[in-house]
Amino acid sequence: MTEKKPVGAPKKTPEGGQRVTFYLPRDVAAWIRGHGGARWIRQQAYKVMEKKEETKNE
C-alpha cells in the first residue's frame, strides 16, 4: 500500500513559515496579484523589516 499524503496546504512549513489569510477589498487584492501576489508582499515586508533594523541599530 502507498503512503497517503495530507491534503491541502501545510499549517507550518519546515522553515517555520505558515499560511495566513487577510481580508482585502477586491480592488486591492487584484492590484497585489498584478504585482506578484504573495511574493511581492513578502519582498515588501522584508524591505520594511530591514529599514526598521537599520534605524534600530543607529
Side-chain angles (χ1 to χ4, degrees):
M1 197 189 285
T2 61
E3 185 179 333
K4 194 172 186 180
K5 292 185 178 181
V7 179
K11 291 187 179 190
K12 290 193 176 188
T13 63
E15 299 85 31
Q18 66 185 53
R19 184 182 195 119
V20 181
T21 304
F22 291 98
Y23 169 81
L24 296 172
R26 285 183 184 181
D27 55 340
V28 174
W31 187 86
I32 289 173
R33 268 190 236 109
H35 283 80
R39 179 174 292 146
W40 181 84
I41 293 171
R42 187 172 48 252
Q43 290 170 345
Q44 298 303 312
Y46 282 138
K47 286 179 187 177
V48 171
M49 289 166 60
E50 284 177 14
K51 287 181 184 177
K52 285 195 174 199
E53 191 64 34
E54 288 173 7
T55 58
K56 189 178 185 181
N57 292 333
E58 290 177 357

